[in-house]
Amino acid sequence: MPNILIHTKINAPALRRNLVSRKRLLTLLLDGIKQGHKLTFISAPAGFGKTTLVSEWITSGEVPAAWIALDESDDNTSRFLTYLIAALQTLITGVGEGVLAALQSSQPSSAKDLLTTLLNELSSTEDDFILVLDDYQAIDSKDVDELLTFLVEHMPPSMHLVITTREDLRLPLARLRAQNQLTEIRAAELRFTENEAADFLNQVMGLNLSAENIAALTPALQSWKGCYKMAATSRINHLTVIAKKRQETNKNGDLIRRFRDARKRGMFLCKDGKERTFQEWLETLPPELAAKILKIAGHPE
Ligand SMILES: Nc1ncnc2c1ncn2[C@@H]1O[C@H](COP(=O)(O)OP(=O)(O)O)[C@@H](O)[C@H]1O
Ligand SMILES: [Mg+2]
């Protein structure tokens, strides 16, 4: 049982500047709540923008939200309940105090009983609210899985659960799906559309690519990680190969060729048409993005 809670775990992460807007996904999320879905399930590998999407959504403030960033140390029921209450208290003052006290006692009741008490308290809330469980794959405990299943089955109608995970979930998703209680977003939805890829390359990365070149690059931009890698180092060469393969349909391969030629000489072709060294190029980017690129460039997979 933790006596000291880590407060950053119950705060949604700050949003980066220079976000590519993901309106189509935000609409999907909000529609789910409007239709009264109990659970929103977002599952995709690391780096697909799950956390960013959910934080962008809840930052818009349409529906009040509590947040828990889960990690491996949360995979026992008492710790899970403690963070659950701490997160809910950011929305509902004093909720679950009795349960917290019971958790500290020498012979606490079963986790299910304690959760039932908490759910009874929550049943009087009328306004919709969201609870986000970010990175659920960190939990490797049947007991917590069962507690979560119980939570989903007995939540008051005002409560909506959002779970992000890199894996599939050991929850009765099929039943929720059949009852029309589930919004699902998976890797296929999180992948860039061509417009989002264009926004990323031209606005976030500060490049100035033509529609044709963007179309050639889009298939390689399957995740944000892919984008950063592309920006970071030799991945650009790899991308130019992909782009080249598509050049039959891509009459304007000029920019791609210039990119590749510049990379051969260890240089980066920038928005203004000038070639820069990696360091000079980094200096033209927003500091946060430059730091990220450096990190990835330093730790190639
Ligand atoms: N809409 C976006 N616009 C710009 N960058 C983004 C966007 N979504 C994600 N990223 C960046 O991609 C990286 C991975 O995103 P993240 O949300 O942490 O992925 P996940 O939670 O799936 O592992 C982060 O550095 C994040 O800033
Ligand atoms: Mg994440």
Side-chain angles (χ1 to χ4, degrees), residues 19 22 30 38 75-76 81 93 126 138-139 145 150 161 173-175 202 207-208 251 261 270 280 284:
L19 268 193
R22 314 218 75 193
L30 192 59
K38 282 184 174 177
D75 75 351
N76 68 74
L81 274 174
T93 318
E126 284 172 6
I139 303 286
D145 288 349
F150 187 80
L161 199 60
L173 290 182
R175 188 160 64 212
N202 286 341
L207 303 170
N208 196 9
K251 303 263 185 302
D261 291 345
C270 297
E280 287 165 346
T284 67

Side-chain angles (χ1 to χ4, degrees), residues 44 64 243-244 255:
K244 218 175 151 196
L255 196 52

Side-chain angles (χ1 to χ4, degrees), residues 234-253:
S234 58
R235 191 62 186 251
I236 285 181
N237 288 329
H238 172 63
L239 284 168
T240 54
V241 174
I242 296 171
K244 218 175 151 196
K245 277 192 204 140
R246 308 191 131 224
Q247 261 174 19
E248 293 89 19
T249 52
N250 176 21
K251 303 263 185 302
N252 179 12

Side-chain angles (χ1 to χ4, degrees), residues 16 18-20 22 45-52 224 228 292:
R16 48 169 291 147
N18 261 339
L19 268 193
V20 171
R22 314 218 75 193
F48 265 69
K50 303 182 292 295
T51 302
T52 307
W224 295 107
Y228 287 122
K292 184 94 196 173

